[in-house]
Structure formats: C-alpha cells, structure tokens
Amino acid sequence: MKLMQFIQGMLLTTCILLFAACKNDNGPIYLVNADDQQKITNGTIELNLFGTGEKFFIRGGEGNYTLKNEDATIADYRYDGETLTFLPVSIGQTSTTISDREGNSYTVSIQVSNPTDEYRVESLDAEVEGDNLTKGDEATLKARIVEESPIQAEGRFSLIYSDSSLSYGELRIFPNSTNNYQLGIFERTLKYAEDTGEPYLRIEATMAGSTKQQYTFMLFEDETTAEETTSVSLIKEDVTDQYKGEFNGLTKAYRIYHLIKQ
C-alpha cells in the first residue's frame, strides 16, 4: 500500500512539474499576420485610412488574452477569440496592449495614414517625333530633355491620396536622392493611349510656389520583374511645348522616367 502511495505521489509530482514546464514554454506574446503568417517583428502596424483593416493572430503567452486600446479615435479593434482585427478610424498613432493572466504583455504601435504610392527614378530617357527633324537635331533634343529634367536618377515621386477613390491628393517630387522635395496637389484619372489602347493614369499636378509650375504625367504601371520582387513602371512627361519653338518640325516630345515602385 505504501509503495502504491509512493508511486502515486511521484506521478503527481511529475505531472505538476511537467505542467509548470509547459506553462514556462509559452514564451512572450506576439502577433502573426493572418494573410502571410509573418511575425510582426518591429512592433508597428501600418493601416490605410481608407482600408478595411488588418487581421492578425495572437500567439505566445498563457492564452487567455485581454486587450487595452489607447485611443479608439485613431484605431479600433475586434477580437473574436481567434482573429484580432485592427480597424482604421482617423489619421494618427496609437497603441494596443495585449496581456494574459500570467503577467505577459505585448504593446503594438498602430500608425494610421493616407494611402501612398512612391516611385523611385531608376533612369531617364526621351522620345521625340517629327518628320522634319534631322538625326542630329533628334539626338541633341533627346540629350537636352534628359539633362534638363527637374528630377534625376534616384529622385522620387510620392503620391499621397486624400480620398478613398485614389483620385486626388498631395504630390511630393524629390529631385534627387536627398529628402528635399517640391510640394503640390494632383488629380489622377484613368485614360487609354490613342495608338495602342494601353491604359495609363493621367496625373495633372500643380506645384506650390509663386510660379505654380504645372505638370502632366502619364503613368504606365508595368508587370513585376523576372525576379517577381519589384514593380517596374514608367512616367511619360509631355514636354512638346517646352522645345517646339527651338526645333522646327517637332510634333511630340516626351521625357521618360523609368521607375521602381517602392
């Protein structure tokens, strides 16, 4: 009888130790993106103001989670015991803290902002048309169009949308690799090329400042590269009026920006 009691006692002790070890193996709380199963490693989640939210799974900890939202006027959440959904409310930054009954906690920062498309200029080119242009004039004109470009290689175009249809917003033009930029407003509409029928986005921009510089860009979104990691696009800027007076026979002139979408 005593032997049986001893064995039962040892089994009970072992179970208690195993249970405690399992609890210790839970580790810290963290979040996993519900779409790609990637762990959030930088402690920050970015939400599109006009989006429908982002979904996550809570992992680690003891498992019975409580959530505390810092500012529901910036971002709210929904949690059904399995999926945690963060919902954008207004532009700004807030945070949500996830805790369990064992004292584990995890705080994630949530940034809500306008949707943005950013393009880096990889290289420049030019296209010119005109039956009476000599080869010499054509070469000279192409070189000038590239050299006199207000945006050089490593410059950027940043489109910050202010409406849910992505038709209007703020344009930032970075002339080079520095963080200095020109500010303007833009309107974006879908158009089709007359000769090929290819769709493009017509961007009409007015820049701030005393000169009120205006641009008309044709943005062509291309497929991803062979490596399927970057999206290659191009912008055609109509500069015909800028050079038509100097080159007889010129009918069309475009400055071409080859872009990498960031």
Side-chain angles (χ1 to χ4, degrees):
M1 179 66 68
K2 290 184 178 180
L3 178 61
M4 182 63 67
Q5 290 176 340
F6 175 76
I7 293 173
Q8 290 175 342
M10 290 295 294
L11 288 173
L12 178 61
T13 302
T14 302
C15 290
I16 293 172
L17 291 173
L18 287 174
F19 179 72
C22 289
K23 291 183 68 177
N24 290 336
D25 285 343
N26 287 326
I29 297 172
Y30 62 95
L31 290 177
V32 173
N33 190 291
D35 292 328
D36 59 16
Q37 303 299 308
Q38 294 297 309
K39 180 179 179 180
I40 304 302
T41 57
N42 60 1
T44 300
I45 293 171
E46 296 183 0
L47 298 179
N48 173 353
L49 177 61
F50 305 115
T52 58
E54 298 287 341
K55 298 180 183 296
F56 301 88
F57 298 129
I58 306 175
R59 296 289 185 257
E62 179 265 344
N64 291 291
Y65 307 110
T66 59
L67 290 88
K68 182 180 180 181
N69 197 9
E70 180 184 353
D71 190 348
T73 67
I74 301 296
D76 203 355
Y77 71 86
R78 300 288 184 271
Y79 182 53
D80 61 8
E82 175 63 22
T83 304
L84 171 61
T85 304
F86 288 110
L87 304 168
V89 178
S90 62
I91 294 175
Q93 184 170 344
T94 184
S95 63
T96 297
T97 299
I98 305 167
S99 306
D100 65 16
R101 294 182 297 190
E102 295 298 318
N104 298 302
S105 67
Y106 173 74
T107 299
V108 60
S109 177
I110 303 168
Q111 180 72 47
V112 180
S113 57
N114 291 80
T116 301
D117 281 332
E118 185 156 315
Y119 303 87
R120 177 176 57 82
V121 179
E122 186 176 42
S123 62
L124 288 86
D125 199 355
E127 291 181 5
V128 298
E129 299 176 13
D131 294 336
N132 296 326
L133 283 176
T134 66
K135 289 186 177 181
D137 284 344
E138 184 176 331
T140 299
L141 179 54
K142 285 184 176 181
R144 281 190 55 186
I145 290 174
V146 172
E147 291 170 3
E148 295 171 3
S149 172
I151 306 108
Q152 295 296 324
E154 298 303 320
R156 304 192 307 280
F157 295 88
S158 183
L159 304 173
I160 304 170
Y161 302 99
S162 59
D163 71 316
S164 58
S165 66
L166 309 184
S167 298
Y168 304 92
E170 177 182 290
L171 172 64
R172 296 181 181 181
I173 295 179
F174 297 79
N176 48 48
S177 59
T178 69
N179 288 325
N180 299 320
Y181 62 84
Q182 300 170 321
L183 183 63
I185 57 174
F186 73 88
E187 178 179 0
R188 194 182 80 157
T189 53
L190 177 63
K191 299 289 185 180
Y192 296 89
E194 294 181 359
D195 52 348
T196 64
E198 183 180 2
Y200 68 91
L201 295 168
R202 180 183 176 90
I203 299 171
E204 296 182 274
T206 301
M207 309 308 292
S210 58
T211 60
K212 298 289 184 181
Q213 176 69 49
Q214 293 185 324
Y215 292 107
T216 299
F217 298 122
M218 301 166 65
L219 173 60
F220 293 85
E221 295 275 18
D222 290 343
E223 299 296 328
T224 53
T225 61
E227 293 79 11
E228 297 292 330
T229 56
T230 55
S231 178
V232 181
S233 308
L234 66 84
I235 281 179
K236 295 178 70 172
E237 178 190 355
D238 191 338
V239 293
T240 307
D241 291 341
Q242 184 177 344
Y243 297 99
K244 195 171 184 179
E246 296 182 58
F247 293 86
N248 294 327
L250 176 65
T251 56
K252 282 292 181 181
Y254 296 100
R255 181 177 289 125
I256 311 297
Y257 300 94
H258 297 277
L259 310 170
I260 297 294
K261 192 170 184 178
Q262 304 295 285

